[in-house]
Amino acid sequence: METHIVKNDGSDETDHNYTYVHSDVAENLQSPSADSIDSSILAAIRITDDDELSAEIHDLYIIVDNPEKHQGTMGTYVTFKLTTKTTRSEFDCPEYSVRRRYSDFLWMRHKLEQSHLTHIVPPLPGKHSMKRLEHFTIDFVKMRMFHLNQFLNRVARHPVLSCDRSFQIFLTAKASEFASHRKSGYGFIHKVEDSLHNLAAGVMIKNRPEEFAAMQAYIQTFSEKMANIDRIAQRLLKEQQDYAVQLHNYSPVWTLWSSCEGQGLSANLEAVAQAVNKNCRAVCSLNEECSMKLVQPLREYSLFSNAVKDALSRRDAMQIEYELTMEELKRRRDEREQLKISDQSNSLGAWMGKDPNEVKKDKEEKLEALIQSLKKQGDQTCDSSVCANADLKADWERWHSNKKTDFKKTFSKWADRQMDYYTTCLSGWEEAQRFIHTSEGEEDMINVSPSNLDDCQNMA
């Protein structure tokens, strides 16, 4: 079954569609994701080509598809096929094909955050579903594959993140080479990043620039709004799914009733059953597209808000490091001034037999070296902060632009889909109504038979 949107002009548009062969499972409305997924069904799920995305990306395009289930020593897991097509000079070949599992995506995203502290790294989907055993079902695998594809192509469109060496290795390295790369060079950088986060969490920033304070306030409000919308959308989707189940059970009732009636009424009841059945199919189709094309994009931007918060926190950590360095530098300079007028006769060095002037000179030399080191560190931190601020502001503008485009596209397509849904439901009832009116006219003609005319004439 292939999911399409048919525009008003009759053209057929495919948008991140999935093709999969499991109609018998999909029609199980009572528990659409209750069946465990096997390798044959997994192999049938894939993302169809997105022409719109292909037009935007001229030098790096990635497709995530063909999931496979594996049984390892640590348990069962799913891998996805990554097909990369590129014309970039840093790649040795124009096309690559590798397999990666979800933990590999987590590693790669973490590497991007480590290497680009104040860039907004796109989010990954959650690691597990709400229900413990649902991460091998058709719906879960399909949704995860969709989001992984979104994640990689968002990174591919980023002018800085897409050039990261770890990202290139992730897309091109063979399994053994990639496993070796994952194990190397992880611990120290990870500890440095953790120290920055702990620093930001333990110290209150003093002079956050107004523009970043405004970003912080906006993203907090945006995050709260997205969380509320997501909760309501989930509730509405659940209600629509329950409604689909009721319609699925409702249509056979009319069909059974029609079998107990005479020819005239039976046909009318069957027409109503067909209208209900058509409405049921329309609701099921709407629910599937609602989850994929409305709920999931909204949820992605809810996760995006957390990614923006993380980038802002890392920027704050860099500013806090600079502020602490400057405070320590000021303290050491004040200490140097006090040392110039101090008497070292009663110092520990003097008590050990050293000349007080030599003790004072040694302290001045050590203090001067420390001051120079702090000054150099402060200059480096200041330069890094200036670059980091510029990176974050550029990503902030890019994120806002993408958000506007994505939401406009999502809402426009959803409005079209809602109109298609109500048009389909209306057409089902209009067909039933026309059939009922037509059958009434035919029944009247049948009742006026020659024998009935003779009876009427005799009565006259």
Side-chain angles (χ1 to χ4, degrees):
M1 181 178 67
E2 192 162 338
T3 306
H4 292 281
I5 298 175
V6 179
K7 296 183 177 180
N8 293 332
D9 59 3
S11 61
D12 194 5
E13 178 187 3
T14 306
D15 176 54
H16 288 299
N17 295 318
Y18 294 88
T19 305
Y20 47 96
V21 184
H22 61 284
S23 58
D24 54 334
V25 178
E27 290 176 358
N28 184 0
L29 298 174
Q30 299 290 349
S31 53
S33 59
D35 301 286
S36 294
I37 194 165
D38 60 23
S39 299
S40 61
I41 294 178
L42 278 174
I45 305 175
R46 68 179 186 275
I47 299 179
T48 59
D49 198 3
D50 188 347
D51 296 334
E52 197 169 295
L53 185 60
S54 300
E56 294 177 359
I57 304 174
H58 299 286
D59 60 352
L60 184 59
Y61 179 49
I62 307 162
I63 299 176
V64 181
D65 62 1
N66 191 21
E68 290 182 1
K69 189 165 67 172
H70 304 266
Q71 186 69 44
T73 56
M74 301 297 292
T76 304
Y77 61 94
V78 174
T79 64
F80 300 90
K81 178 183 176 184
L82 275 59
T83 302
T84 303
K85 298 181 180 181
T86 181
T87 57
R88 293 189 179 184
S89 59
E90 59 264 32
F91 290 84
D92 295 331
C93 301
E95 185 170 344
Y96 296 87
S97 180
V98 297
R99 297 201 72 85
R100 298 287 184 258
R101 58 187 296 184
Y102 180 77
S103 60
D104 298 331
F105 283 83
L106 287 176
W107 171 87
M108 191 268 290
R109 185 180 186 277
H110 193 69
K111 294 291 287 185
L112 291 176
E113 286 186 326
Q114 290 174 345
S115 303
H116 311 279
L117 293 176
T118 54
H119 281 293
I120 300 173
V121 182
L124 281 169
K127 186 172 183 180
H128 295 296
S129 61
M130 296 297 291
K131 295 182 181 179
R132 189 172 166 217
L133 298 178
E134 280 192 353
H135 54 285
F136 292 126
T137 60
I138 294 171
D139 289 339
F140 183 80
V141 172
K142 182 174 68 170
M143 206 65 67
R144 169 167 285 185
M145 185 170 62
F146 173 80
H147 282 295
L148 294 178
N149 190 78
Q150 282 277 84
F151 166 74
L152 289 182
N153 281 287
R154 286 191 186 281
V155 174
R157 290 196 293 270
H158 195 283
V160 177
L161 300 180
S162 64
C163 299
D164 186 87
R165 175 61 180 166
S166 295
F167 181 57
Q168 181 180 347
I169 291 173
F170 175 82
L171 295 177
T172 62
K174 295 181 179 179
S176 58
E177 179 187 351
F178 181 71
S180 176
H181 188 80
R182 277 196 59 170
K183 293 177 182 178
S184 64
Y186 181 78
F188 176 73
I189 298 178
H190 182 63
K191 290 178 181 178
V192 170
E193 183 186 298
D194 284 345
S195 67
L196 286 174
H197 279 290
N198 293 335
L199 185 65
V203 181
M204 183 67 69
I205 192 169
K206 292 182 178 180
N207 300 308
R208 180 187 286 123
E210 292 184 2
E211 54 189 333
F212 294 109
M215 290 181 189
Q216 192 79 40
Y218 173 85
I219 202 62
Q220 183 62 36
T221 302
F222 177 80
S223 177
E224 294 171 358
K225 290 180 179 178
M226 293 304 298
N228 289 334
I229 291 175
D230 181 57
R231 283 194 295 269
I232 295 172
Q234 288 290 336
R235 188 166 65 247
L236 290 174
L237 179 60
K238 178 62 169 60
E239 292 176 358
Q240 288 183 179
Q241 289 171 343
D242 293 340
Y243 177 55
V245 172
Q246 295 301 321
L247 285 177
H248 182 68
N249 296 329
Y250 193 39
S251 177
V253 175
W254 292 89
T255 303
L256 290 174
W257 183 12
S258 68
S259 64
C260 302
E261 298 292 341
Q263 181 179 1
L265 182 57
S266 175
N268 292 339
L269 293 172
E270 187 61 36
V272 173
Q274 291 178 3
V276 172
N277 191 40
K278 188 171 185 177
N279 277 253
C280 179
R281 292 195 301 271
V283 173
C284 292
S285 176
L286 182 69
N287 290 344
E288 183 177 349
E289 294 193 34
C290 176
S291 178
M292 181 64 67
K293 297 181 179 179
L294 180 66
V295 175
Q296 295 305 321
L298 293 176
R299 180 167 293 174
E300 183 193 18
Y301 267 93
S302 181
L303 296 173
F304 239 130
S305 65
N306 294 329
V308 175
K309 289 179 183 178
D310 290 341
L312 286 168
S313 296
R314 293 191 293 268
R315 193 219 71 85
D316 287 350
M318 296 179 71
Q319 182 176 338
I320 289 172
E321 183 185 5
Y322 173 73
E323 291 176 352
L324 292 177
T325 302
M326 291 296 100
E327 288 178 2
E328 180 67 10
L329 179 60
K330 182 179 182 303
R331 191 175 72 84
R332 294 298 182 177
R333 282 173 172 170
D334 292 341
E335 185 180 341
R336 182 179 60 183
E337 295 302 319
Q338 291 295 324
L339 182 61
K340 290 179 180 180
I341 61 175
S342 67
D343 183 6
Q344 299 295 315
S345 300
N346 296 323
S347 65
L348 180 61
W351 280 97
M352 294 178 65
K354 289 186 177 181
D355 181 54
N357 291 329
E358 289 293 329
V359 172
K360 185 174 184 178
K361 183 178 179 181
D362 289 344
K363 287 186 176 180
E364 286 178 342
E365 289 177 354
K366 291 179 180 179
L367 197 56
E368 186 64 29
L370 180 58
I371 288 173
Q372 293 301 320
S373 176
L374 288 172
K375 184 179 178 182
K376 182 178 180 181
Q377 181 182 346
D379 291 341
Q380 291 175 346
T381 307
C382 180
D383 292 341
S384 299
S385 296
V386 171
C387 294
N389 290 344
D391 290 340
L392 183 54
K393 286 189 285 188
D395 269 19
W396 177 263
E397 295 298 327
R398 186 180 297 108
W399 179 71
H400 266 292
S401 177
N402 291 339
K403 174 167 62 71
K404 180 180 178 180
T405 301
D406 291 344
F407 280 158
K408 182 178 179 180
K409 187 187 303 181
T410 296
F411 298 151
S412 176
K413 289 182 178 180
W414 183 238
D416 289 340
R417 187 62 189 86
Q418 287 285 340
M419 290 188 290
D420 291 342
Y421 162 71
Y422 286 108
T423 300
T424 301
C425 292
L426 179 62
S427 67
W429 289 111
E430 286 177 339
E431 290 171 4
Q433 188 181 49
R434 285 194 297 270
F435 181 84
I436 292 170
H437 287 318
T438 303
S439 64
E440 286 179 355
E442 292 177 351
E443 186 176 352
D444 292 340
M445 292 178 65
I446 292 173
N447 289 335
V448 186
S449 61
S451 60
N452 290 337
L453 281 173
D454 292 339
D455 293 339
C456 292
Q457 291 174 354
N458 294 332
M459 289 177 63

